Amino acid sequence: MSVVKGNYVKVEYHGTLDDGTVFDSTENHGDPLGFTVGAGQMIPGFDAAVEGMALNEEKQIHLEA
């Protein structure tokens, strides 16, 4: 089953700059990030990247400023 708009999901992530510097990570917070897909809680590129993913799928995305 793939993620669709309206699903509540929890994700683990590492946010890095182009030079590899980590600016944020769920490891720093201790828990996965939970949000409702398509509800405007996340930046649009992140929301769109999660849509269509499967349970335990890993994905690398690049978001423009």
Side-chain angles (χ1 to χ4, degrees):
M1 184 169 147
S2 296
V3 173
V4 296
K5 287 181 182 173
N7 286 157
Y8 180 80
V9 298
K10 288 186 176 184
V11 299
E12 293 184 7
Y13 69 90
H14 298 280
T16 60
L17 302 175
D18 287 336
D19 68 2
T21 304
V22 176
F23 66 84
D24 196 14
S25 174
T26 50
E27 287 181 356
N28 296 340
H29 303 287
D31 290 315
L33 172 67
F35 64 97
T36 301
V37 177
Q41 299 169 336
M42 304 301 297
I43 59 174
F46 192 85
D47 234 358
V50 171
E51 199 171 340
M53 290 183 71
L55 181 64
N56 295 321
E57 179 179 350
E58 291 186 17
K59 188 178 207 179
Q60 195 170 51
I61 62 171
H62 184 267
L63 301 175
E64 296 293 329

